[in-house]
Amino acid sequence: MNILVCISQVPDTTTKVKFTDNNTRLDTTGIQWVINPWDELSLTRALELKDDASSGVAKVSVALVGPVSTEPTIRKALAIGADDAYRVDTEALDAYQVAAQLAEVVKAGSFDIILCGIESSDYNGSNVGGMLAEFLNYPSVSGISHLEVQDGQVQVNREIDGGREMLVLPTPFVGIVQKGIAREPRIAAMRGIMMARKKTIQLVDAARVEPLTRTLAYEPPQPRPACKFIDPDNPEQLIALLQNEAKVI
Amino acid sequence: MSVLVYTENWNGSFKKLSFELASYAARLAEMLNTNPIAVSIGQVGRDELEKLSKYGIKKTITIEHDGLTQFDTQTYTRVIADLANSQSAKAIVLSNNNTGKSLAPRLSVRLKAAVASGVGQLPEQLSPFVVKKRAFSGNAQAGLELKTEMKIITLAQNSFELVEKPVDMVIEKAEADLSGIIPKATVKDVEIQTGKLLLSDAEIVVSGGRGMKSPDNWAPIEELAGLLNGATACSRPVSDEGWRPHEEHTGQTGKIIAPNLYVAIGISGATQHLAGISASKYIVAINNDKDAPIFEAAQYGIVGDASRVLPRLVEALKKAKSA
Ligand SMILES: Cc1cc2nc3c(=O)[nH]c(=O)nc-3n(C[C@H](O)[C@H](O)[C@H](O)COP(=O)(O)OP(=O)(O)OC[C@H]3O[C@@H](n4cnc5c(N)ncnc54)[C@H](O)[C@@H]3O)c2cc1C
Ligand SMILES: Cc1cc2nc3c(=O)[nH]c(=O)nc-3n(C[C@H](O)[C@H](O)[C@H](O)COP(=O)(O)OP(=O)(O)OC[C@H]3O[C@@H](n4cnc5c(N)ncnc54)[C@H](O)[C@@H]3O)c2cc1C
């Protein structure tokens, strides 16, 4: 059984985002690029399953749609432990175009489980996983908080309002993961970093697909008015403000 | 032509978010000079369906089918896509909850319709069609152009005001064509807590962080939430430590919420935490460090020790409520 983890590259989650060119583009100066937190956790879970001989998982691959500048991020995934990688050589323009590219990677390979994150921390689309599944006509399960594989049998937990569902799934399928999939992301050890240099990143030519969306401009959030401080010995004042000024209680 | 809105139900009932969806769809239909049509799947009583008419929905199409009792993304996608075609939908509106997030991208590919997810406002302009959506984990709004004829929008919960606009509504039953569809996933087990206010539905949220020091100190947070008819939440380290259930974790890697009031107690205000709560209409912070970043996000703040401030706040609130 083979697992493909789709990874996207995002600015480090502590980045103070800034825009340039009249707020039409992200200002990338000084940005530290990292693997999207969800994808790091998916990769961690996939590797945990591979480590467990009874799972039947033999290989873990990663795929990223992006230009050559994204290769350090892919190397990082290889250093964490992915066996090999695919890079579709094109700028990622929107979720539809990205999913269409990933669908070609999946069709050309032999993957049983494809994992995507619930959302990228930059463009917050929440779309690539579901789109990929529809392009492939595979089932998809959204909101996976646990993935178990035993002798090739797959069981997942899916978060639903007020609880969770345990599902048994045939392969292939697309799993869209969220909190719970793994506890702490695996980090690359020295040995992994050395080994990653020898692993291959397979270049895939981009399919010709037009994006369906375009971002015209970004707007930084409205600055919040300065905080009103209330005397800790006078909580009545806070209640009065919430009742009469904010009108929320 | 129409604007189609998928109004999910919970055991036959709607929630506030259903009416937010209805309000949004009605306003969008007005802008597009067309009619809002609600789609309801599963058994929902007539009285419940009628509630949608209060928010401007002129027609509701209901579909009941044994094959639809269990939520399956592929099956539901097919049903909604077929309706979008037969009703010549110019736009499809869904919630940005788990259900909407799993259907919108599949519908997008099936119908070749562009999606904007996590939207809180009506489009800024119609040609080109531009709508603002959440981006960079709440650190920006992106003005997104949807370039296709048909558009899909997922609406963020508690971000669009209810607009009452009573109209006459017709209810139509439709058949679903599920030929050739075999749901692939089988449900083995379900764990569900009923009767508890869900964090995502709560208009007031009281949340504790590491500054609460111990899980044994949560009683005043629960009491405060109870008095305010709110839900409880927490920061990530608190759920990681097992002090609180993981469903309560808010932030970039937890729940993203937009209540009317978020009370952060003993929470420093890390960017990853703010990513999940910055859309709250009002934020109150209680923290003993006057320089904690949470005060930059908050409108109201109390600098003080939570173990001292909280009991007094609870007392004061009880008094205010009985007054
Ligand atoms: C110059 C430039 C311009 C851009 N303009 C736009 C724009 O106008 N509109 C727009 O929507 N986006 C734009 N993007 C963002 C980019 O296209 C995003 O990668 C894409 O939109 C997917 O992000 P998402 O938030 O929709 O993904 P989501 O659906 O939120 O991502 C979920 C999951 O999908 C997978 N995934 C996402 N992206 C990739 C990827 N590239 N490779 C492999 N797996 C992936 C991961 O598993 C991820 O966890 C631009 C990017 C660049 C560099
Ligand atoms: C990829 C990634 C994703 C993450 N996602 C999330 C996420 O989704 N959600 C999240 O919350 N975090 C997330 N984090 C963690 C985040 O960076 C912070 O570490 C976390 O939010 C801190 O939690 P906290 O505020 O409870 O604790 P701390 O930062 O330790 O803050 C405790 C606060 O309590 C105050 N305090 C101490 N004693 C008292 C007292 N007696 N009375 C009142 N106040 C007191 C202190 O002044 C301090 O401000 C993420 C981190 C990473 C790297």
Side-chain angles (χ1 to χ4, degrees), chain B residues 36-58:
Chain B
I37 301 178
V39 179
S40 172
I41 300 178
Q43 266 190 16
V44 182
R46 221 192 147 82
D47 288 353
E48 194 66 15
L49 291 174
E50 280 294 343
K51 291 181 185 168
L52 296 171
S53 70
K54 224 169 104 184
Y55 302 96
I57 297 295
K58 292 184 179 149

Side-chain angles (χ1 to χ4, degrees), chain A residues 12-14 34-38 40-41 121 179 185, chain B residues 207-213 217-218 234-240 243 249-256 262 264-277 286-295 302-309:
Chain A
D12 178 275
T13 52
T14 56
V34 299
I35 304 173
N36 189 35
W38 297 120
E40 214 176 12
L41 292 170
S121 64
K179 177 178 159 73
Chain B
S207 186
R210 204 144 48 180
M212 290 303 293
K213 301 284 196 286
N217 297 337
W218 244 263
C234 67
S235 68
R236 184 168 98 172
V238 164
S239 73
D240 281 353
W243 292 5
H249 158 198
T250 51
Q252 181 153 22
T253 47
K255 292 229 161 58
I256 293 160
Y262 185 79
I265 305 159
I267 292 177
S268 60
T271 39
Q272 298 98 343
H273 186 80
L274 297 178
I277 59 124
I286 300 173
N287 196 302
N288 64 0
D289 172 9
K290 70 172 184 5
D291 295 323
I294 188 74
F295 288 121
I302 296 182
V303 180
D305 188 323
S307 65
R308 251 173 47 83
V309 174

Side-chain angles (χ1 to χ4, degrees), chain B residues 68-282:
Chain B
L68 295 169
T69 40
Q70 175 73 45
F71 178 75
D72 173 77
T73 39
Q74 274 178 299
T75 319
Y76 273 55
T77 297
R78 163 102 160 252
V79 170
I80 296 172
D82 287 351
L83 274 178
N85 282 327
S86 67
Q87 302 296 321
S88 318
K90 294 185 89 166
I92 307 176
V93 180
L94 305 120
S95 171
N96 194 41
N97 65 359
N98 283 338
T99 308
K101 275 190 205 166
S102 60
L103 294 174
R106 296 204 75 126
L107 287 167
S108 168
V109 170
R110 198 168 180 94
L111 296 163
K112 206 161 184 202
V115 191
S117 44
V119 168
Q121 298 163 36
L122 289 163
E124 291 190 307
Q125 47 171 300
L126 294 178
S127 54
F129 190 99
V130 180
V131 65
K132 275 197 196 144
K133 72 169 291 279
R134 173 177 163 271
F136 294 95
S137 301
N139 283 311
Q141 291 274 319
L144 191 70
E145 178 186 348
L146 304 186
K147 298 200 281 190
T148 50
E149 193 69 20
M150 198 192 285
K151 281 99 184 162
I152 300 177
I153 286 170
T154 73
L155 186 66
Q157 208 172 331
N158 206 31
S159 62
F160 194 73
E161 292 276 331
L162 297 181
V163 189
E164 288 203 26
K165 189 187 169 226
V167 290
D168 286 327
M169 183 177 86
V170 290
I171 298 176
E172 261 179 39
K173 268 195 183 331
E175 298 298 321
D177 170 20
L178 303 186
S179 56
I181 301 183
I182 307 155
K184 314 258 178 4
T186 35
V187 180
K188 250 186 71 176
D189 204 0
V190 188
E191 269 171 28
I192 198 150
Q193 236 189 323
T194 47
K196 193 179 170 216
L197 176 64
L198 295 176
L199 187 48
S200 48
D201 291 338
E203 292 185 6
I204 295 182
V205 173
V206 185
S207 186
R210 204 144 48 180
M212 290 303 293
K213 301 284 196 286
S214 151
D216 304 331
N217 297 337
W218 244 263
I221 289 194
E222 291 187 323
E223 198 173 0
L224 198 55
L227 286 167
L228 294 168
N229 295 322
T232 49
C234 67
S235 68
R236 184 168 98 172
V238 164
S239 73
D240 281 353
E241 289 296 328
W243 292 5
R244 299 295 298 172
H246 75 85
E247 294 86 7
E248 289 197 358
H249 158 198
T250 51
Q252 181 153 22
T253 47
K255 292 229 161 58
I256 293 160
I257 53 173
N260 295 342
L261 174 63
Y262 185 79
V263 185
I265 305 159
I267 292 177
S268 60
T271 39
Q272 298 98 343
H273 186 80
L274 297 178
I277 59 124
S278 62
S280 307
K281 287 172 196 83
Y282 284 88

